[in-house]
Amino acid sequence: MFSVYGSGGTDKTFVCITLLSHLRGQGKIVLAVASLRIASLLFLGGRTAHSRFKILIDLHDESTCNITQQMKVAELVRKVDLIIWDEAPMMHRRAFEVVDRTLRDLMQLDDAQAIEKIFGGKIVVLGGDFRQILPVVPKGGREDIVSASLPRSHLWQHVTILRLHINMRVMASNSEKQREFAKWVLNVGDGSLLAIVREEGVNPDWIKIASHMRLPTEDCSLRGLIRTIYLDHQCHSGDAMYLMQRSILAPKKLTLMKSTMQF
């Protein structure tokens, strides 16, 4: 197991795509999955991990994937040379343990010792940044979220971490604002920004966002946000690349969906 780790803009996904293309060019079988749908779109033939490995929604410590040895996906998994799993940090650790348990079982048909090997002996490359979104635990606190994260899994001790340090996105841009934004995001992830106390007796957990990073005051509505992100969307409604490069993250999708439909 390998973890390609770096902050936003260090081209983690580019490394994974290059690796995928190189190996497929050699006739190797590579499965590209991601923890969420929008990330899987970046890979040719990409799928969500839940879809590809038939991972159940409700997981416990003894769960396995919904794959039997007679299914076609089982045959595909047994033949695969490499598994690339993007945005891994945001997935619950049990999802990886479930896939590990399933692959050990499936690979026993070809290798009697597979039950003792991590992921049944398959090479797995994980991509992502632990400074970003960790697993979502409904009504869970900090301890619950940390407990659900990948480094708390018994599998993590077998991971070789490959760090990317250079922000290629910033290097390719001459924009001072983009450099400043990249540095700000990194400081947020590292927890080095000065926090603001909003309520006496409560740990400070608010940070100030510079004015040039926010919507203009006169257009700070949800519809204004949509107009800003999807600028000239009427001209690009059929352009898949235009849509793939834009996304609005929301804590609750229902409100956003209703506003989008009205927009």
Side-chain angles (χ1 to χ4, degrees):
M1 292 179 64
F2 297 90
S3 173
V4 180
Y5 174 69
S7 59
T10 54
D11 276 356
K12 299 180 295 295
T13 301
F14 175 78
V15 170
C16 291
I17 291 176
T18 303
L19 185 61
L20 183 149
S21 300
H22 177 71
L23 292 178
R24 283 181 176 173
Q26 294 180 342
K28 305 285 187 180
I29 299 177
V30 183
L31 292 185
V33 301
S35 297
L36 70 166
R37 178 58 178 160
I38 194 169
S40 70
L41 296 174
L42 300 175
F43 298 95
L44 182 63
R47 299 267 292 272
T48 62
H50 277 82
S51 171
R52 173 60 72 188
F53 298 118
K54 312 297 181 186
I55 302 174
L56 302 177
I57 300 299
D58 296 321
L59 300 176
H60 52 78
D61 290 335
E62 301 300 326
S63 298
T64 58
C65 298
N66 191 24
I67 300 177
T68 63
Q69 294 181 347
Q70 293 74 32
M71 297 173 65
K72 288 186 177 180
V73 65
E75 182 180 357
L76 172 63
V77 169
R78 284 168 49 209
K79 293 180 178 179
V80 72
D81 296 292
L82 174 69
I83 297 172
I84 295 176
W85 193 325
D86 198 19
E87 298 296 348
M90 68 182 302
M91 187 72 83
H92 197 291
R93 63 173 176 80
R94 285 177 178 165
F96 300 96
E97 294 167 2
V98 161
V99 175
D100 168 59
R101 202 173 295 122
T102 301
L103 288 182
R104 292 186 192 219
D105 179 59
L106 293 176
M107 292 307 299
Q108 286 187 86
L109 296 176
D110 303 318
D111 179 6
Q113 303 300 319
I115 193 67
E116 305 294 336
K117 300 177 181 179
I118 302 299
F119 285 97
K122 298 297 181 182
I123 301 175
V124 179
V125 174
L126 308 172
D129 181 8
F130 286 98
R131 295 183 184 89
Q132 297 176 5
I133 302 175
L134 294 177
V136 175
V137 180
K139 299 182 180 179
R142 178 186 293 269
E143 292 182 359
D144 301 301
I145 295 173
V146 171
S147 177
S149 64
L150 180 55
R152 285 294 187 268
S153 172
H154 66 272
L155 298 172
W156 188 251
Q157 61 182 311
H158 302 286
V159 174
T160 299
I161 301 177
L162 307 175
R163 294 181 179 270
L164 301 178
H165 299 279
I166 300 175
N167 194 318
M168 304 302 293
R169 190 180 302 157
V170 170
M171 287 189 65
S173 171
N174 293 322
S175 172
E176 186 60 35
K177 283 188 176 181
Q178 189 163 357
R179 293 177 184 273
E180 181 184 346
F181 179 72
K183 183 179 180 180
W184 180 82
V185 169
L186 194 59
N187 289 334
V188 171
D190 290 337
S192 58
L193 285 182
L194 181 64
I196 302 172
V197 179
R198 295 289 295 268
E199 185 178 344
E200 188 176 353
V202 178
N203 290 331
D205 55 0
W206 292 77
I207 57 175
K208 185 176 182 179
I209 301 177
S211 59
H212 68 270
M213 298 181 187
R214 305 195 301 262
L215 287 176
T217 306
E218 62 273 11
D219 197 17
C220 61
S221 64
L222 184 56
R223 299 188 69 176
L225 172 64
I226 296 172
R227 280 192 292 266
T228 301
I229 301 301
Y230 294 96
L231 184 66
D232 297 330
H233 74 280
Q234 296 92 341
C235 303
H236 301 279
S237 58
D239 186 349
M241 186 57 64
Y242 170 86
L243 297 173
M244 287 169 58
Q245 292 175 342
R246 291 161 173 80
S247 179
I248 298 176
L249 302 181
K252 293 184 179 180
K253 294 191 294 183
L254 184 60
T255 304
L256 182 63
M257 289 172 62
K258 289 181 178 179
S259 178
T260 304
M261 291 173 67
Q262 294 172 359
F263 178 73

